[in-house]
Amino acid sequence: MKKSILFACAIALVITAGAQIDKGSVLLGGEIGFTSNKAENTARENNSTSLNPAFGVAVQKNTVVGATLIYNSYKDNFTISNPEMKGHTYGGSVFVRRYLAIGKQFFFFGEADFFSEGILSTSELSFQKEEAKSWETGVYLYPGISFAVSKRFQIETGFPQLVGFSFSKTKNFSNDVLVETDHSVGLFAAASAFSNISVGFRVFLSK
């Protein structure tokens, strides 16, 4: 039987004067997440952490431009013969988000993110160490809908990375010796949008 713990938080604070996002408004927020899974009667355990703070400024009414820092890590302990796999991701993105009113309290938003990140993954055996160092960059689109519960509070749902383009380069090492280098270019679209849905909220504070 597997025991699991999941914690995730997505929050953004926008300093503005009302439900509309006026020019000059400031957005502070981001995402924090933690997961832990452990299988009973075995040594297998998986933990992952993500921390992605964000900052933005409304360059015009209902249009926010900003940046997000990216940090993710995971660690997976398996069996005695394959004891550990772990990885870290560092990077950042620049985003543009545009809101469009579609009703009295509903807004449609579209967000474009240009991202760049480095990824380090390792797998350690008793006498062997496998390592992959990757760099990836690209752009993806993020559509969604928000509902204004009040002038200062909105609930939103969206489909992160619904469509995008990416380029990556990966170097694979075995016992610190370079084995191969891979390059890849990808154009992707989610096969099922509902398999990658997110839910969050926005809080609006008066200046």
Side-chain angles (χ1 to χ4, degrees):
M1 183 181 294
K2 179 184 292 185
K3 293 183 178 180
S4 65
I5 300 174
L6 170 63
F7 170 76
C9 178
I11 183 171
L13 302 178
V14 182
I15 303 175
T16 184
Q20 297 292 326
I21 303 175
D22 297 324
K23 182 178 180 179
S25 299
V26 176
L27 181 148
L28 301 174
E31 298 178 353
I32 300 173
F34 173 76
T35 62
S36 178
N37 296 281
K38 185 174 183 179
E40 293 184 348
N41 303 319
T42 72
R44 184 167 185 177
E45 183 177 358
N46 174 271
N47 296 287
S48 65
T49 303
S50 62
L51 177 62
N52 304 306
F55 171 83
V57 176
V59 295
Q60 64 183 48
K61 189 173 182 178
N62 290 338
T63 301
V64 177
V65 176
T68 302
L69 296 179
I70 300 171
Y71 172 75
N72 300 293
S73 69
Y74 74 89
K75 185 175 182 180
D76 201 338
N77 294 319
F78 286 93
T79 63
I80 297 177
S81 61
N82 188 13
E84 184 178 270
M85 292 182 65
K86 59 184 178 180
H88 300 275
T89 300
Y90 305 90
S93 69
V94 177
F95 68 86
V96 179
R97 175 180 282 208
R98 175 66 177 172
Y99 287 89
L100 177 65
I102 55 176
K104 184 177 180 180
Q105 294 175 278
F106 285 92
F107 295 86
F108 172 82
F109 67 82
E111 181 174 312
D113 285 72
F114 173 79
F115 70 92
S116 180
E117 59 187 26
I119 305 168
L120 173 63
S121 302
T122 61
S123 176
E124 297 184 5
L125 305 175
S126 299
F127 303 99
Q128 187 174 0
K129 177 183 177 181
E130 302 292 333
E131 189 175 59
K133 297 180 180 180
S134 304
W135 171 77
E136 184 176 13
T137 187
V139 61
Y140 64 85
L141 302 180
Y142 173 18
I145 295 176
S146 64
F147 173 73
V149 179
S150 68
K151 289 184 178 181
R152 294 180 174 85
F153 188 83
Q154 291 187 5
I155 298 174
E156 70 176 38
T157 183
F159 309 99
Q161 300 188 31
L162 183 64
V163 179
F165 170 84
S166 66
F167 170 81
S168 65
K169 178 180 179 180
T170 302
K171 292 184 177 181
N172 296 301
F173 297 82
S174 181
N175 291 331
D176 298 321
V177 178
L178 179 62
V179 177
E180 63 179 358
T181 301
D182 298 325
H183 298 81
S184 66
V185 177
L187 178 64
F188 60 88
S192 175
F194 292 99
S195 66
N196 194 26
I197 190 172
S198 69
V199 178
F201 59 89
R202 296 290 185 270
V203 179
F204 297 86
L205 302 178
S206 299
K207 292 183 179 179

